[in-house]
Amino acid sequence: TAALEDAQHQLVQAAKLSALGQMSAGISHELNQPVATIQNYAIAAKQFFENGNLAIVKDNLDEIEIQTVRMSRIIKNLRDFSRKDAAPRQPVELGHTARNAVKYLQEQINAHRVEVLWVGEGEALWINGGAVRLEQVLVNLVSNAIEAIRVANQRTITIALSKTDAQAIVKIEDSGPGLVDIDRVFEPFYTTKSGKNDGGLGLGLSIAFGFVESFSGSLHASNTETGGACFTLTLPLLEIGVQAP
């Protein structure tokens, strides 16, 4: 009995260490983007300060503050998700959230000369979820699309917003080479990146998949007819009369 209890204790400790390792890697992955943004704004702020352009310095400091708040919320969301806690939901407009995600990645988009095409932006698509977690999902998807096409001749990302009677849909397609192993893209730690120069951990899509499921939605991966990758995010629409103004 004592040996069995000791073995059970060791298994529990091993499980805790494994979960801690995954959580630490996940936090590192999710915080990478806002940390890079803060660094860029801080460097620019120093240059503008030396030139006496205090108005732009203030704007940069405001953006840094926004990113630090976002980092705090990311950590809380990841902690809640790891504990399987149900974080409170609220009305979120999908198009606005998608535009915010692209804004966070604008520097990468400009650096790699990527063209972002928007389809179906006219109508508001309200869902019940979490704005920061949904932004994380979309940042991951768009960031992966940028990575896929950064050395391609044609560098286009298409973000299409649409709906059915009961669902809001976002499709993110790229002009890259497509997905090699579609069945594994949402597995934790599965990545086609080397990890040496690009820091790929293979956690972004796994975390995104879990967040989408927590909103009672689905995330599907496929390849387009032209060969690029396509990720389809589907979420339940808020009922008419319940949606936010």
Side-chain angles (χ1 to χ4, degrees):
T1 302
L4 179 60
E5 289 179 351
D6 183 60
Q8 288 176 331
H9 176 72
Q10 291 184 32
L11 286 173
V12 169
Q13 289 303 110
K16 286 183 178 179
L17 288 173
S18 175
L20 180 60
Q22 291 192 31
M23 193 62 195
S24 299
I27 290 174
S28 174
H29 182 279
E30 293 302 313
L31 293 181
N32 181 63
Q33 184 62 42
V35 166
T37 302
I38 287 172
Q39 182 182 32
N40 291 330
Y41 276 118
I43 292 172
K46 288 172 63 177
Q47 295 174 346
F48 286 121
F49 180 79
E50 291 172 356
N51 294 332
N53 199 332
L54 299 183
I56 298 182
V57 171
K58 181 183 180 302
D59 291 341
N60 283 19
L61 292 175
D62 288 341
E63 287 292 340
I64 289 174
E65 182 180 9
I66 290 171
Q67 293 301 320
T68 56
V69 171
R70 181 173 176 240
M71 290 170 66
S72 177
R73 292 171 68 184
I74 285 173
I75 293 171
K76 180 181 182 301
N77 284 332
L78 283 167
R79 184 177 64 244
D80 291 343
F81 180 69
S82 70
R83 293 196 312 233
K84 302 300 182 183
D85 288 351
R89 297 187 187 185
Q90 60 185 1
V92 178
E93 206 284 295
L94 201 51
H96 175 74
T97 307
R99 286 187 290 274
N100 275 347
V102 171
K103 177 184 175 182
Y104 294 140
L105 296 167
Q106 194 61 54
E107 184 174 351
Q108 292 182 37
I109 290 169
N110 294 340
H112 297 297
R113 300 189 299 278
V114 174
E115 181 183 12
V116 178
L117 304 177
W118 292 88
V119 179
E121 280 192 286
E123 189 172 5
L125 303 174
W126 289 95
I127 61 99
N128 199 25
V132 171
R133 283 178 291 168
L134 190 54
E135 281 177 4
Q136 286 174 252
V137 171
L138 293 168
V139 164
N140 272 315
L141 296 178
V142 176
S143 178
N144 284 350
I146 295 171
E147 179 68 23
I149 63 175
R150 63 190 181 96
V151 295
N153 292 327
Q154 181 181 357
R155 302 170 190 174
T156 304
I157 297 173
T158 303
I159 303 176
L161 304 169
S162 62
K163 71 173 185 177
T164 64
D165 290 340
Q167 295 177 322
I169 303 168
V170 180
K171 284 190 176 184
I172 299 176
E173 299 182 3
D174 65 59
S175 57
L179 301 167
V180 177
D181 196 344
I182 294 176
D183 294 334
R184 296 190 62 196
V185 292
F186 298 116
E187 289 183 10
F189 300 107
Y190 171 75
T191 178
T192 57
K193 300 176 183 179
S194 67
K196 295 179 181 179
N197 299 319
D198 50 36
L201 293 171
L203 280 167
L205 289 177
S206 177
I207 292 171
F209 188 86
F211 281 162
V212 172
E213 280 196 329
S214 74
F215 301 145
S216 303
S218 65
L219 184 59
H220 176 71
S222 62
N223 286 324
T224 66
E225 293 182 358
T226 56
C230 175
F231 286 89
T232 302
L233 170 61
T234 304
L235 294 162
L237 275 171
L238 278 178
E239 296 179 8
I240 296 176
V242 179
Q243 68 185 37

